[in-house]
Amino acid sequence: MADNDYESVICVKPEVHVYRIPPRASNRGYRAAEWQLDQPSWSGRLRITALGKKAFIKLEDKTSGELFAQAPVDQFPGIAVESVTDSSRYFVICIEDGNGRRAFIGVGFADRGDAFDFNVALQDHFKWVKQQTEFAKQAQNPDPGPKLDLGFKEGQTIKINIANMKKKDGTKPRPPSSSGPSLLPPPPGGKIQAFGSIPAQHSDPQPASNTESGQSLDLGAASFWTEPAGSSDSWGDFTKAAGAPAGQQSTGWVQF
């Protein structure tokens, strides 16, 4: 016996009757009606104990607790404990004296509830034994379980949605970069000149002199661009502003 095995009590019934039973003549089972139920051979207390996986049905004296007989039970239902065919209050148990001798006797309870508790106590114990056996087998041979297959099957596809891949309708235009071309501020005197966009990297033009005759403004030395000789003006021809003096040649600027 292992050090951690100890005997525990799983059921106690204060009154049980013992009967001598005739040998079983066939395999049809035992019948309590054949036992002379009004004349029990012994009466006392029944106690069921458990030691490891084995249970013991002990018949003891009510007063002194002296052991009258004992039936070791290795499994239930089994040959050690059998129910009779004609009643739920009577059973046949196989007792042993420790010297290898066996005998079959009948036991019965006056109360049907006591017989039910007797039956359930044995069932619960051997259900626990079965569970412990299964746990021990699993510990020795752990089942890894089915492997998880994450691979793509033949013909299987996957769809991935990535946000902002397509521009949505109504998207606001991006603001112009500060490094791009910008328009010149209007010159002093309130006159606005339309001469195209001036690259931001050039310096601001010098203030132009306003003449009394309203002629075109002088933008300073060498202008902002130089046209090669014989080339046409990429800006196109501009007509003179309305109200300019007759005969005055257009300078390519429009006065407003």
Side-chain angles (χ1 to χ4, degrees):
M1 183 177 65
D3 295 338
N4 58 352
D5 289 339
Y6 60 93
E7 189 175 25
S8 60
V9 179
I10 58 178
C11 182
V12 176
K13 292 301 173 183
E15 185 176 13
V16 66
H17 304 294
V18 175
Y19 303 91
R20 294 181 183 274
I21 62 175
R24 183 163 54 179
S26 64
N27 294 329
R28 64 181 176 86
Y30 293 99
R31 298 183 72 250
E34 301 174 352
W35 295 356
Q36 297 180 350
L37 299 178
D38 57 339
Q39 298 178 5
S41 299
W42 180 87
S43 296
R45 179 180 66 189
L46 180 141
R47 194 160 58 100
I48 303 177
T49 63
L51 181 62
K53 296 181 179 181
K54 184 178 289 189
F56 296 89
I57 301 173
K58 297 184 177 184
L59 304 174
E60 302 170 342
D61 185 84
K62 291 182 180 180
T63 305
S64 64
E66 183 181 357
L67 182 64
F68 170 75
Q70 175 176 273
V73 184
D74 295 324
Q75 62 179 3
F76 181 79
I79 192 174
V81 182
E82 295 184 56
S83 300
V84 299
T85 60
D86 58 345
S87 177
S88 61
R89 296 188 292 117
Y90 297 91
F91 304 86
V92 175
I93 64 175
C94 180
I95 59 174
E96 296 181 5
D97 63 354
N99 296 321
R101 293 185 301 177
R102 294 182 177 182
F104 290 90
I105 62 174
V107 295
F109 301 91
D111 186 87
R112 198 174 303 274
D114 290 343
F116 177 80
D117 294 342
F118 169 81
N119 194 39
V120 170
L122 291 172
Q123 287 181 354
D124 289 347
H125 172 72
F126 287 99
K127 185 183 297 183
W128 173 83
V129 171
K130 183 179 179 180
Q131 291 177 348
Q132 295 300 312
T133 303
E134 292 177 354
F135 293 156
K137 289 181 179 178
Q138 292 178 1
Q140 292 177 358
N141 301 310
D143 184 9
K147 294 182 178 180
L148 185 60
D149 185 9
L150 300 178
F152 284 96
K153 305 299 185 295
E154 183 177 358
Q156 186 178 7
T157 58
I158 185 171
K159 183 178 180 181
I160 300 177
N161 293 326
I162 301 178
N164 300 327
M165 286 295 292
K166 295 177 64 178
K167 292 184 178 180
K168 297 181 179 180
D169 295 337
T171 304
K172 294 183 179 181
R174 297 176 60 185
S177 175
S178 59
S179 60
S182 60
L183 296 177
L184 284 174
K191 293 186 179 182
I192 302 175
Q193 300 173 353
F195 53 89
S197 298
I198 305 302
Q201 63 269 20
H202 294 289
S203 60
D204 292 339
Q206 298 179 357
S209 60
N210 189 6
T211 60
E212 295 180 357
S213 61
Q215 293 180 354
S216 61
L217 300 175
D218 182 9
L219 297 179
S223 187
F224 285 98
W225 60 84
T226 303
E227 293 292 339
S231 64
S232 59
D233 187 1
S234 60
W235 291 90
D237 294 332
F238 291 90
T239 58
K240 291 191 297 181
Q248 183 179 353
Q249 187 178 357
S250 175
T251 61
W253 304 97
V254 179
Q255 289 185 345
F256 295 92

